[in-house]
Amino acid sequence: MVVLISGTGSNMSALMEAAKDPAYGAEIVAVGTDREGTRGIQVAEAAGVPTFVVPFRAFAERSEWDAAMSDRIAEYTPDLVVSAGFMRILGPAVVGRHQAVNIHPALLPSFPGAHAVRDALAHGVRVTGTTIHFLDEGIDSGPIIDQVAVPVEDGDDEAGLHERIKVVERRMLVDTVGRLAREGWTIDGRHVRFGRTDTKEIR
Ligand code: GAR
């Protein structure tokens, strides 16, 4: 798999840790980002994982950036792209060419977009959580694979609630990607099932 990140990369680190066990069934072949100098890229480099940067700001048009990102991903011929804290919308050049999953810190379809935790708090929900879904060409709108709920506590602020979400998110991400790798998957409209007959190792 190719993992895409924009920041700290704690979810990427969780995947990297899980992938050390050959029985996990998935291997990270590269980590990519849309911006220079992210913490997560430094962590990946230190672990000897190939990395690449496709800076969003270096392109005049979003479509050009999207095409460049798609080509860089393709160099590693991954079976799966994992958007794990990647803060740009991936367009048709990526989504039309690569199978990709995304994690989102809310119970979709509630609170899509870049400020999911803030938006959930502002709305006054008592329960939020995290979602892993396949990417389509919309914003956080693709078929849902799994979700885990996280209660909102009185007095929660954005940072504290997000940290609690990230604890369950990392577990969900590692579990789900491992199952996709080991069991394969079938997408039927909005419904995702694990398992297929021609399961192969994700690389
Ligand atoms: C995660 O909570 C992820 O769900 C979120 O960014 C965080 C990244 O943390 N993604 C989005 O908000 C995407 N819209 P990390 O860099 O420590 O893995």
Side-chain angles (χ1 to χ4, degrees), residues 7-12 84-87 103-105 113-114 162 166 169:
T8 316
S10 70
N11 282 282
M12 172 209 72
F86 189 66
M87 300 306 288
I103 48 169
H104 183 75
H162 200 169
K166 283 172 72 167
E169 188 170 55

Side-chain angles (χ1 to χ4, degrees), residues 114-185:
H115 307 291
V117 181
R118 189 186 311 168
D119 293 347
L121 272 177
H123 200 86
V125 295
R126 302 305 308 180
V127 177
T128 184
T130 177
T131 303
I132 182 165
H133 63 96
F134 277 98
L135 279 184
D136 63 10
E137 290 186 17
I139 298 174
D140 300 322
S141 57
I144 290 168
I145 312 167
D146 199 10
Q147 297 184 295
V148 181
V150 175
V152 178
E153 310 287 356
D154 291 340
D156 260 343
D157 63 8
E158 185 180 356
L161 177 57
H162 200 169
E163 270 315 306
R164 287 210 315 287
I165 291 171
K166 283 172 72 167
V167 171
V168 298
E169 188 170 55
R170 288 191 282 268
R171 204 176 310 132
M172 179 189 71
L173 175 68
V174 166
D175 287 353
T176 303
V177 167
R179 284 196 69 186
L180 292 172
R182 293 186 303 272
E183 300 174 35
W185 65 88

Side-chain angles (χ1 to χ4, degrees), residues 6 36 60 67 84 90 121 136 197:
S6 296
E36 306 276 358
L90 291 161
L121 272 177
D136 63 10
T197 46

Side-chain angles (χ1 to χ4, degrees), residues 4 66-67 69-70 73 81 90-100 135:
L4 301 180
D66 195 45
M69 184 55 100
S70 180
I73 293 169
V81 174
L90 291 161
V94 171
V95 175
R97 183 173 177 189
H98 304 284
Q99 295 245 53
L135 279 184

